[in-house]
Amino acid sequence: MRLIGADGSQVGIVPIAQAQEMAREKDLDLVEISATATPPVCKIMDYGKFIFQQKKKTSEAKKKQKVIVVKEVQFRPRIDEHDFDVKKNNVVRFLQHGDKVKASIRFRGREMTHMELGRAVLDRLLKEVKEFGAAEQAYPDVQGNRMTMVIAPTKAH
């Protein structure tokens, strides 16, 4: 087997028994790095310390990653001015925090025949929050009695 020393230097090709003896002398472990290589590659190291460092690296990576949350704000096609402003301010706040926003319009009864009213509400929302976010798709998605659009935050915010 090809052996790598505890300091990372190449020891060379040695028999397994000799490699195990070298590891015992230094009070370390003999760990197989690559079994598929010919000859197999092994390294002398403190395996417990190696596992601890791996766990530490993964926990650091978890701390640094940002979880993307999708917040939903529901509108109606005939929404009042003040209600629209309150919900728009919520959308802006969510986008500033780095969350995606799913703006949905729920149609009831005869409102289904006037889908253009819902589209106008979404267009107005996009126009008023364009400095904080942009739509992921050009057109809203219609499923049943709902029209939805996902707004993602821009890089500046």
Side-chain angles (χ1 to χ4, degrees):
M1 78 171 57
R2 184 175 304 278
L3 184 65
I4 300 171
D7 56 350
S9 62
Q10 291 279 342
V11 175
I13 298 175
V14 296
I16 295 174
Q18 184 181 351
Q20 288 174 338
E21 185 60 36
M22 291 172 71
R24 248 185 250 115
E25 285 174 7
K26 296 182 180 180
D27 200 26
L28 296 173
D29 302 311
L30 183 65
V31 180
E32 186 175 40
I33 302 294
S34 177
T36 57
T38 34
V41 180
C42 293
K43 184 175 183 179
I44 297 175
M45 68 168 80
D46 186 357
Y47 189 67
K49 183 178 178 182
F50 174 73
I51 293 296
F52 173 75
Q53 288 173 342
Q54 290 294 100
K55 286 181 183 177
K56 197 172 175 182
K57 282 182 187 176
T58 56
S59 67
E60 285 293 320
K62 282 183 183 179
K63 285 181 188 176
K64 291 181 182 176
Q65 69 181 339
K66 169 79 170 105
V67 177
I68 297 175
V69 180
V70 179
K71 306 277 189 167
E72 183 172 7
V73 179
Q74 293 186 358
F75 294 88
R76 296 298 310 273
R78 295 169 35 112
I79 191 167
D80 194 46
E81 190 67 33
H82 180 264
D83 295 336
F84 180 84
D85 288 339
V86 169
K87 292 185 181 212
K88 178 196 69 161
N89 291 337
N90 286 339
V91 169
V92 168
R93 183 168 41 104
F94 295 149
L95 291 173
Q96 286 176 334
H97 283 281
D99 298 328
K100 289 185 178 182
V101 178
K102 180 180 177 183
S104 62
I105 297 182
R106 196 176 74 227
F107 297 95
R108 288 168 49 191
R110 292 182 183 162
E111 292 174 345
M112 289 292 291
T113 58
H114 297 288
M115 292 285 215
E116 69 275 359
L117 293 175
R119 174 66 192 239
V121 171
L122 286 178
D123 288 341
R124 179 178 166 205
L125 178 68
L126 275 176
K127 191 172 82 176
E128 294 193 17
V129 301
K130 69 180 174 204
E131 60 200 47
F132 301 103
E136 287 188 343
Q137 295 179 331
Y139 297 102
D141 186 30
V142 179
Q143 295 177 348
N145 66 342
R146 289 184 182 268
M147 180 182 287
T148 60
M149 180 176 278
V150 178
I151 304 170
T154 55
K155 299 290 182 199
H157 294 283

